[in-house]
Structure formats: C-alpha cells, structure tokens
Amino acid sequence: MLYALLIYQAEEVTEAYGESEQDAVMAAHGQMQEKAKAKQQFVAATKLMPTSSATTLRGARDGIGVIDGPFAETKEHFGGFYLLDCANLDEAMDYARQLPHAVTGAIEIRPVAYNEVVMPDPETGIGAEQFETLT
C-alpha cells in the first residue's frame, strides 16, 4: 500500500537552521531515503517552497475563496512529503520516525487512495488522464 508521509514543521524553526543543522537534517533524509530505496519502497519525495509562495482555495457559502498562504488551520507549515510503498502502517511509521521532523514538528502518515502513481509523460509533460482506485 502507498503511504504519504506529510511533513509539518514550524516555519521559524526551519528558517533558523544554521548550515550544520541544515546539513544534519538533509543527512537524516538521505539515510531514510537510502533505506527505502534499498527495499524498493521509495516512490517520491519533495521539499516545498516557503509558505509565502502558497495560495489556498477554501470553500465558502458563496463559492470558493482564494487565500494567500497555506493557511489550513495548522500552526506548522507543510514542508514536504514522501510517498512510500510499505506493507503496512507500522512500516510507514518506522520510516517516519527516522526523520528529525518527528521530534521537532509532526509527520502525518496517510494511506494513498490510488494504487497508481500518475507521473507526467517525460516527452510531453502531460500527466496520465485516469487513476485506478483501490478496490
């Protein structure tokens, strides 16, 4: 089953990292990624741009509103995610525990509702048009 590890961290913590702290965080990510890759469970990962670059759509009585920022009622910002193919929730939790954000922020672990990862076509950049849902 695919699991998303959604990384949340107070943005001021991330912004305050010195070079050695940033290097240590990236090393922890690299080690976890290598373990997942060695077991052929690594699917994707990315770091997101700062919250100042975000836009949020939120439903309202008169339609959909647009809000500057990532404000989804959390104190931490959503900084990035992993997509891992794990046998079960316990295995996904083991990977999440290896990331420093499990101590300094939060990592939400959520099963993915589709069993196929849709990636853009490398030649055209156009994504697949259909998803296969889990049954």
Side-chain angles (χ1 to χ4, degrees):
M1 172 169 267
L2 294 178
Y3 287 91
L5 308 185
L6 309 175
I7 300 169
Y8 291 89
Q9 176 82 43
E11 199 160 21
E12 59 270 10
V13 171
T14 306
E15 291 171 351
Y17 285 158
E19 187 175 339
S20 63
E21 291 170 306
Q22 181 66 26
D23 289 347
V25 167
M26 295 311 292
H29 280 271
Q31 290 170 359
M32 190 279 270
Q33 289 177 25
E34 289 306 314
K35 288 179 184 178
K37 288 176 183 178
K39 294 173 82 174
Q40 297 183 341
Q41 294 177 302
F42 182 88
V43 178
T46 193
K47 179 179 178 183
L48 300 177
M49 297 294 289
T51 58
S52 60
S53 68
T55 300
T56 298
L57 300 181
R58 182 177 299 281
R61 290 186 184 141
D62 58 348
I64 297 175
V66 178
I67 303 166
D68 289 339
F71 309 108
E73 301 301 324
T74 64
K75 293 182 181 183
E76 300 88 10
H77 78 119
F78 177 50
F81 70 90
Y82 282 89
L83 188 57
L84 301 173
D85 189 3
C86 298
N88 53 47
L89 177 59
D90 289 335
E91 193 169 49
M93 288 175 26
D94 287 341
Y95 281 116
R97 285 186 186 100
Q98 296 173 44
L99 300 175
H101 313 289
V103 175
T104 61
I107 301 176
E108 177 183 348
I109 302 167
R110 192 183 304 183
V112 174
Y114 300 101
N115 65 357
E116 179 179 324
V117 177
V118 178
M119 300 295 286
D121 180 287
E123 291 182 24
T124 66
I126 299 171
E129 295 185 19
Q130 294 193 334
F131 292 83
E132 291 182 32
T133 59
L134 292 172
T135 54

